[in-house]
């Protein structure tokens, strides 16, 4: 476990997943935090290069080689039977209004290109080692389950939350007048736990984890910021108008709901429900 999502899962597991033992993989030492790595039966890969790294201008091949070395060591040091790879919905081509697991990859964004390379490699690696692989293509996750855990500020809704709580103005590069699918962090962690529990029954290699709704980002930012801000003097400064914005894209979560026998309305919190969660965490 590593990064934003890994740290959230680690904290979540302390109170909610006490029947499971989660072991960290240290990327610096290239070792698991245990003397018995062969006892590990499942790896959750949170470590694929993030958008900051991929969009930094660094050569993608060198980034991929570094990630590949790390994931190879992690897999080869265990006797895992399953691997859950946390990827992104951004790998899919956005030509159609509806994206599902049958949609083609094809985004040219460096982050999406890297995610596609990682998925391809893990497909081959797991096939050769007879490991059951589940690729989760996850929507835009935001929030935190604990105020003491740092959240990634480069994600726009997280940046909104942090600025409001720190009594700062929110300065954004664009007008944010676009639509996106969002998933509250706790909803994602609950779903991930259910996937772990049902991993032996899941036959699909590709599952989209999304709310199935598209929301206007600008409107959500205004609602979140105004609800959480500490002072009336705080304000939002939007940047340039987005001229090349995409049409609304809906990410189907029907496969996910079917596999886990879920109902959409009960498993993805609305913005109003999220506000109450944020209030209980930070206020």
């Amino acid at each position: 476990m590593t990064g934003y999502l890994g740290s959230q899962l680690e904290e979540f597991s302390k109170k909610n997943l006490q029947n499971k033992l989660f072991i960290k993989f240290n990327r610096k030492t290239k070792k698991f935090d245990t003397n018995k790595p062969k006892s590990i039966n499942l790896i959750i890969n949170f470590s694929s290069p993030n958008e900051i790294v991929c969009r930094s201008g660094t050569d993608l091949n060198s980034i991929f080689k570094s990630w590949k070395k790390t994931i190879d060591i992690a897999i080869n040091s265990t006797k895992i039977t399953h691997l859950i790879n946390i990827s992104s919905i951004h790998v899919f081509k956005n030509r159609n209004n509806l994206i599902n697991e049958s949609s083609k990859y094809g985004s040219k964004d460096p982050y999406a290109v890297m995610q596609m390379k990682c998925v391809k490699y893990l497909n081959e690696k797991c096939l050769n080692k007879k490991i059951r692989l589940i690729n989760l293509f996850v929507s835009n996750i935001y929030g935190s389950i604990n105020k003491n855990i740092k959240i990634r500020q480069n994600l726009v809704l997280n940046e909104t939350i942090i600025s409001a709580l720190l009594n700062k103005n929110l300065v954004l590069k664009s007008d944010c007048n676009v639509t996106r699918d969002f998933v509250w962090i706790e909803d994602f962690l609950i779903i991930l736990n259910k996937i772990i529990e049902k991993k032996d029954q899941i036959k699909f290699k590709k599952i989209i984890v999304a709310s199935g709704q598209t929301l206007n980002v600008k409107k959500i930012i205004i609602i979140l910021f105004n609800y959480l801000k500490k002072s009336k003097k705080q304000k939002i400064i939007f940047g340039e108008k987005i001229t090349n914005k995409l049409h609304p894209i809906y990410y189907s979560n029907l496969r996910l709901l079917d596999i886990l026998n879920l109902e959409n309305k009960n498993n993805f919190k609305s913005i109003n429900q999220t506000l109450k969660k944020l209030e209980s965490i930070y206020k």
Side-chain angles (χ1 to χ4, degrees):
M1 298 187 291
T2 186
Y4 167 48
L5 296 181
S7 61
Q8 296 288 334
L9 176 59
E10 182 181 12
E11 187 65 24
F12 181 76
S13 67
K14 292 176 183 178
K15 293 183 179 179
N16 302 279
L17 309 175
Q18 295 176 348
N19 63 329
K20 297 181 177 67
L21 176 62
F22 290 92
I23 299 170
K24 282 186 178 181
F25 182 81
N26 190 315
R27 286 192 288 181
K28 291 183 178 179
T29 63
K30 299 290 190 291
K31 292 181 179 180
F32 284 99
D33 292 345
T34 176
N35 293 324
K36 298 180 179 179
K38 298 296 183 183
S39 65
I40 297 171
N41 59 13
L42 164 70
I43 286 178
I44 305 173
N45 175 44
F46 289 112
S47 66
S48 297
N50 64 38
E51 54 266 51
I52 298 175
V53 173
C54 295
R55 294 168 184 162
S56 66
T58 305
D59 178 61
L60 290 183
N61 287 327
S62 63
I63 296 173
F64 175 75
K65 286 179 181 178
S66 176
W67 169 83
K68 177 179 175 295
K69 181 179 179 181
T70 300
I71 196 68
D72 279 345
I73 293 172
I75 293 173
N76 295 338
S77 62
T78 67
K79 290 185 178 180
I80 60 167
T81 56
H82 296 75
L83 191 150
I84 297 176
N85 177 43
I86 310 300
S87 189
S88 169
I89 56 174
H90 299 294
V91 302
F92 296 104
K93 286 184 178 180
N94 51 29
R95 294 177 182 173
N96 300 318
N97 288 344
L98 178 66
I99 299 292
N100 58 30
E101 288 83 359
S102 298
S103 300
K104 293 182 179 180
Y105 302 151
S107 173
K108 295 181 180 179
D109 172 66
Y111 171 61
V113 170
M114 179 58 63
Q115 290 293 320
M116 287 184 277
K117 285 172 70 72
C118 293
V119 168
K120 181 180 179 182
Y121 180 74
L122 287 175
N123 282 337
E124 295 170 352
K125 178 83 174 180
C126 290
L127 181 63
N128 291 335
K129 294 184 73 70
K130 297 181 180 180
I131 297 168
R132 293 178 69 170
L133 172 66
I134 302 173
N135 290 299
L136 301 184
F137 298 95
V138 182
S139 177
N140 301 288
I141 298 175
Y142 71 103
S144 177
I145 61 168
N146 187 313
K147 66 180 180 181
N148 296 320
I149 303 177
K150 289 184 178 181
I151 57 178
R152 282 180 55 197
Q153 193 165 345
N154 68 300
L155 304 175
V156 68
L157 295 193
N158 285 347
E159 183 181 1
T160 301
I161 293 167
I162 293 169
S163 295
L165 293 170
L166 292 179
N167 199 15
K168 294 181 177 180
N169 290 335
L170 176 61
V171 182
L172 299 166
K173 294 180 180 179
S174 74
D175 68 352
C176 298
N177 192 22
V178 292
T179 56
R180 294 286 185 272
D181 184 294
F182 291 101
V183 174
W184 170 247
I185 180 65
E186 192 174 10
D187 294 341
F188 167 73
L189 295 173
I190 291 170
I191 286 170
L192 177 59
N193 179 51
K194 290 179 179 179
I195 289 172
I196 293 170
E197 291 179 342
K198 297 194 72 171
K199 64 184 186 302
D200 292 325
Q201 290 79 47
I202 295 174
K203 306 301 181 184
F204 297 103
K205 285 188 176 182
K206 298 165 65 176
I207 303 173
I208 289 175
V209 180
S211 70
Q213 305 175 49
T214 58
L215 303 173
N216 182 276
V217 179
K218 186 172 186 176
K219 290 180 180 179
I220 298 174
I221 288 171
I222 293 171
I223 292 170
L224 283 175
F225 190 82
N226 288 337
Y227 188 83
L228 295 172
K229 68 182 183 180
K230 299 294 185 179
S231 167
K232 292 182 178 180
K233 294 181 180 180
Q234 286 176 262
K235 59 183 179 180
I236 306 171
I237 303 171
F238 288 104
E240 297 179 0
K241 182 178 180 180
I242 297 176
T243 57
N244 60 340
K245 62 183 178 182
L246 302 170
H247 52 74
I249 300 171
Y250 296 87
Y251 293 90
S252 172
N253 59 13
L254 294 180
R255 175 176 288 181
L256 172 72
L257 299 179
D258 182 59
I259 288 172
L260 301 182
N261 193 27
L262 302 175
E263 291 185 24
N264 195 66
K265 63 181 180 180
N266 296 328
N267 290 277
F268 295 98
K269 290 179 180 59
S270 67
I271 292 300
N272 286 335
Q273 290 172 315
T274 296
L275 292 174
K276 293 178 182 178
K277 277 284 185 180
L278 287 166
E279 186 174 33
S280 68
I281 293 170
Y282 292 107
K283 289 192 173 184

